[in-house]
Amino acid sequence: MTAFLVGAGVLILLTVLLGLLHILRGPGDAERIMAVNLLGTGGVAALLLLGSAADLAAATDLALVLVLLAAFAGVAFVAGLGAAPGRTPPVDAGDRSTDEGPGAAAAEAPRRQPRAGD
């Protein structure tokens, strides 16, 4: 059983190396963060398999820490999307402070309510 676990761990480590190549050559930020999350998941799986094959109980604790770090990295990436330099933050639907051209003020002017005698 140990040989199977070591073989599976090595196979997962090889796929993690392919993910590392995708991180280095990735076309965009979103693809890169997805590859980093895949790299973390593969690393955790390999750590659990190899730790189980070597009968190391501390490998499970380390795997849990790596999973938490990968989750926080994903959240930090998504939270940083709006604050990145060169990117415009998303505009709230209720925000009317942006200038949309010369006719924007007239188009947004409140309409007069009709009176009973009109």
Side-chain angles (χ1 to χ4, degrees), residues 6 20 24-25 27 29-30 38 43 54 58 63 71 91-93 109 111-112:
V6 170
L20 182 62
L24 297 175
R25 299 181 344 169
D29 292 340
L38 180 64
V91 178
D92 186 21
R111 294 185 179 178
R112 183 177 65 90

Side-chain angles (χ1 to χ4, degrees), residues 5-6 8-13 15-16 37-53 59 62-64 66-67:
L5 292 175
V6 170
V10 168
L11 181 67
I12 289 175
L13 284 176
T15 60
V16 166
N37 280 334
L38 180 64
L39 188 91
T41 304
V44 166
L47 183 64
L48 288 173
L49 287 171
L50 295 175
S52 183
L62 184 60
L64 288 173
L66 289 177
V67 166

Side-chain angles (χ1 to χ4, degrees), residues 49-75:
L49 287 171
L50 295 175
S52 183
D55 199 26
L56 294 173
T60 305
D61 296 334
L62 184 60
L64 288 173
V65 170
L66 289 177
V67 166
L68 283 173
L69 286 176
F72 285 133
V75 169

